[in-house]
């Protein structure tokens, strides 16, 4: 799996100290850092857009099916799903009308509703689409033997079996043409979770969208491949094993609103960590947008990151791989909770312990890691440096250190604290914000701000921001709504929605499908 490629930063200014200003040359662009480890939600790689056909009919003909329904009962026909929505039932106005099929008109047929169910797609996390079935019949629609319930919807996964009126009356099997090939998931995991689309991939595996079967709650399943439990650190001559035991152990220990929560863990062909799903994706993607984050938003996010790392340090945990990709957003709204994730490189230490292992992502590495790894060691301050890099990128949209620089190597830039300052970019950032960046990006660890000192910095003494954070905390984050029980229609009983039977064709609501 490929690592993120960092776009080149603005061309270098004249040589100078850590805060030497320079005028930005034309064509300055924002960038991010390369990632050598798997974050809990990595976005899918971008693809080239196809050319737009000049003829709308050609465009319609070029549409590819995203799903397929294969018949399991006599008389039903297969359906290639191309539109975003399909209605099924006896009504001739349905997209898939049972009245047009050669079906036995017996008791089972009479229990099919005029509008029995619909299948539709909705945008899901990270831009993927999720397919749902919504039950519209009092007589029941069943997915894999479980009744859905009138007015309720469930996700449709690969090879889901659909039954009408009675659980054994299977009529369709659904194939998701955009889903990954079926994997050999542990049976106990399959009983509890319905695994859906791939959300992203990284050096150690991938992240899948899944649904808890009982509550239909969305979760993220981080799949760690056994064959890729070693990830390259930096430089290439060093290798840091991915420590699955450490990550799961830390996840089980921690409990903080700004740290990702573990829900389950399974071991089989690979390792499977079930985590809460963060609908907003990675902070990396917000920083990469053409429109920069507002300083107010940066402050809200960074305050939460500091609280998360403060909690880790108080519990003897150093993250060691803090970066934009490992900060996740709870929603697509600008004001939202953020959570730190990915503890595969973390270390649990004692009060006086120092670490000597070289690990982390190059662009975010603290100077002491590069200077003293394997000799003098380093401590909690490495996370403070990484937070300084993150804040620099949030405020400016470009990285302070980059291997693309022609002046100095990446190691030389970091160990000398020679970060790139583009005056035109920073002129709209407050002095207090930049002062906090400066105090975090200090080469000497003993002079660098500690987490508690950063929290006391004047820039973060913002009561409005802190009230916003408290309001976000008060919002319900985990609503589990179980389906209400549905009484099934016994054989011979007429359907009990007479208003539907009496409604003439002119009164029927025809839902127009949207674009796929």
């Amino acid at each position: 799996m490929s690592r993120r490629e960092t776009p080149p930063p603005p061309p270098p200014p004249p040589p100078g100290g850590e805060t030497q200003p320079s005028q930005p040359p034309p064509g300055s662009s924002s960038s991010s850092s390369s990632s050598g480890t798997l974050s809990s939600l990595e976005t899918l790689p971008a693809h080239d857009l196809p050319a737009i056909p000049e003829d709308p009919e050609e465009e319609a003909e070029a549409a590819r099916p995203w799903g397929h329904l294969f018949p399991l009962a006599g008389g039903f026909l297969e359906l290639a799903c191309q539109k975003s929505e399909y209605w099924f039932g006896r009504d001739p106005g349905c997209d898939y009308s049972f009245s047009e099929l050669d079906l036995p008109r017996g008791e089972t047929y009479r229990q099919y509703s005029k509008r029995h169910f619909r299948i539709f797609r909705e945008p899901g996390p990270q831009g993927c689409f999720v397919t749902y079935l919504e039950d519209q019949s009092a007589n029941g629609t069943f997915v894999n033997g479980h009744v859905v319930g009138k007015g309720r919807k469930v996700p449709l996964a690969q090879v889901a079996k659909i039954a009408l009126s009675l659980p054994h009356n299977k009529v369709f099997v659904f194939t998701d043409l955009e889903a990954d090939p079926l994997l050999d998931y542990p049976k106990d995991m399959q009983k509890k979770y319905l695994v859906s689309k791939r959300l992203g991939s990284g050096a150690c595996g991938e992240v899948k969208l899944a649904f808890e079967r009982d509550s239909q709650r969305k979760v993220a399943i981080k799949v760690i491949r056994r064959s890729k439990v070693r990830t390259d650190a930096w430089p290439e001559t060093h290798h840091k094993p991915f420590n699955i035991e450490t990550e799961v152990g830390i996840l089980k220990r921690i409990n903080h609103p700004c740290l990702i929560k573990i829900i389950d863990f399974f071991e089989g062909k690979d390792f499977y960590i079930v985590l809460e799903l963060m609908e907003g994706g990675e902070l990396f993607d917000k920083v990469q947008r053409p429109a920069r984050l507002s300083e107010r938003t940066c402050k809200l996010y960074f305050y939460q990151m500091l609280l998360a790392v403060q909690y880790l340090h108080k519990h003897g945990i150093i993250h060691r791989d803090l970066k934009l990709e490992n900060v996740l957003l709870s929603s697509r709204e600008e004001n939202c909770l953020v959570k730190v994730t990915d503890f595969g490189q973390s270390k649990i230490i004692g009060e006086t312990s120092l670490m000597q292992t070289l690990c982390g992502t190059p662009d975010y590495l603290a100077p002491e890691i590069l200077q003293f790894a394997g000799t003098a060691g380093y401590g909690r301050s490495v996370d403070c440096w990484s937070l300084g890099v993150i804040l620099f990128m949030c405020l400016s949209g470009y990285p302070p250190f980059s291997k693309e620089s022609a002046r100095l190597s990446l190691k030389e830039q970091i160990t000398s604290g020679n970060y790139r300052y583009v005056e035109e970019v920073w002129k709209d950032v407050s002095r207090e914000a930049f002062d906090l960046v400066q105090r975090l990006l200090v080469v000497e660890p003993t002079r660098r701000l500690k987490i508690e000192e950063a929290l006391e910095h004047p820039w973060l003494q913002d009561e409005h921001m802190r009230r916003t954070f408290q309001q976000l905390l008060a919002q319900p984050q985990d609503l589990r709504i179980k389906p209400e029980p549905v009484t099934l229609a016994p054989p011979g009983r007429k359907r009990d929605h007479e208003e539907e039977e009496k409604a003439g064709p002119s009164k029927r609501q025809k839902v127009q499908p949207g674009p796929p």
Side-chain angles (χ1 to χ4, degrees), residues 112-176:
Y112 297 157
S113 298
K114 287 192 173 182
R115 297 171 74 81
H116 201 101
F117 70 96
R118 71 178 178 123
I119 290 177
F120 63 99
R121 296 207 305 168
E122 286 184 350
Q126 301 298 298
C128 75
F129 281 88
V130 181
T131 305
Y132 293 94
L133 180 146
E134 183 180 78
D135 193 355
Q136 287 294 326
S137 172
N139 292 341
T141 306
F142 300 80
V143 175
N144 293 329
H146 300 281
V147 66
V148 178
K150 187 174 181 180
R152 298 188 178 276
K153 67 178 183 179
V154 297
L156 277 184
Q158 191 72 283
V159 300
K161 294 181 176 61
I162 302 170
L164 303 181
S165 301
L166 298 168
H168 61 267
N169 183 38
K170 299 180 179 67
V171 297
F172 293 116
V173 60
F174 172 73
T175 300
D176 188 339

Side-chain angles (χ1 to χ4, degrees), residues 21-148:
S22 65
Q23 292 298 327
S28 297
S29 62
S30 63
S31 65
S32 177
S33 65
S34 59
S35 167
T37 58
L38 173 68
S39 72
S40 290
L41 276 178
E42 287 207 44
T43 53
L44 295 171
H47 298 278
D48 293 333
L49 294 175
I52 300 176
E54 295 181 0
D55 188 346
E57 293 184 0
E58 293 178 9
E59 183 177 12
E61 292 175 359
R64 295 182 179 180
W66 47 264
H68 215 113
L69 287 174
F70 294 97
L72 295 176
F76 286 90
L77 302 177
E78 67 179 74
L79 173 67
C81 303
Q82 292 178 300
K83 298 186 297 181
S84 61
E85 180 182 58
Y86 289 89
W87 281 89
F88 297 75
R90 294 192 297 114
D91 192 321
C94 287
D95 302 284
Y96 189 106
S97 176
F98 301 157
S99 64
E100 299 174 359
L101 302 177
D102 185 18
L103 300 176
R105 280 358 187 218
E107 189 59 42
T108 301
Y109 179 82
R110 287 192 289 272
Q111 291 189 35
Y112 297 157
S113 298
K114 287 192 173 182
R115 297 171 74 81
H116 201 101
F117 70 96
R118 71 178 178 123
I119 290 177
F120 63 99
R121 296 207 305 168
E122 286 184 350
Q126 301 298 298
C128 75
F129 281 88
V130 181
T131 305
Y132 293 94
L133 180 146
E134 183 180 78
D135 193 355
Q136 287 294 326
S137 172
N139 292 341
T141 306
F142 300 80
V143 175
N144 293 329
H146 300 281
V147 66
V148 178

Side-chain angles (χ1 to χ4, degrees), residues 18 23 80 158 164 170 173 179 234 253 382 423 433 454 461 496:
E18 293 185 358
Q23 292 298 327
Q158 191 72 283
L164 303 181
K170 299 180 179 67
V173 60
W234 188 81
R253 284 179 52 181
V382 299
E423 187 174 6
Q461 308 317 303
D496 56 4

Side-chain angles (χ1 to χ4, degrees), residues 130 208 253 303 311 369 380 470 497:
V130 181
K208 308 279 285 189
R253 284 179 52 181
Y303 176 67
Y311 176 93
I369 296 180
R380 292 174 176 84
Q470 292 300 325
H497 33 298

Side-chain angles (χ1 to χ4, degrees), residues 163-237:
L164 303 181
S165 301
L166 298 168
H168 61 267
N169 183 38
K170 299 180 179 67
V171 297
F172 293 116
V173 60
F174 172 73
T175 300
D176 188 339
L177 299 179
E178 296 180 352
D180 293 335
L182 290 176
L183 300 176
D184 186 18
Y185 298 122
K187 290 184 179 180
D188 51 347
M189 189 178 87
Q190 292 189 53
K191 289 179 181 178
K192 196 168 182 180
Y193 298 98
L194 181 66
V195 184
S196 184
K197 313 261 181 170
R198 186 180 72 169
L199 294 176
S201 60
C204 299
E206 60 186 351
V207 178
K208 308 279 285 189
L209 172 66
F211 298 83
E212 193 174 41
R213 291 187 183 273
D214 288 344
S215 66
Q216 298 305 325
R217 175 178 60 156
K218 293 178 184 177
V219 298
I221 297 183
K222 185 175 178 179
V223 184
I224 308 296
R225 304 292 182 216
R226 286 184 182 271
S227 59
K228 297 184 178 180
V229 293
R230 296 185 67 87
T231 61
D232 288 347
W234 188 81
E236 294 181 354
T237 55

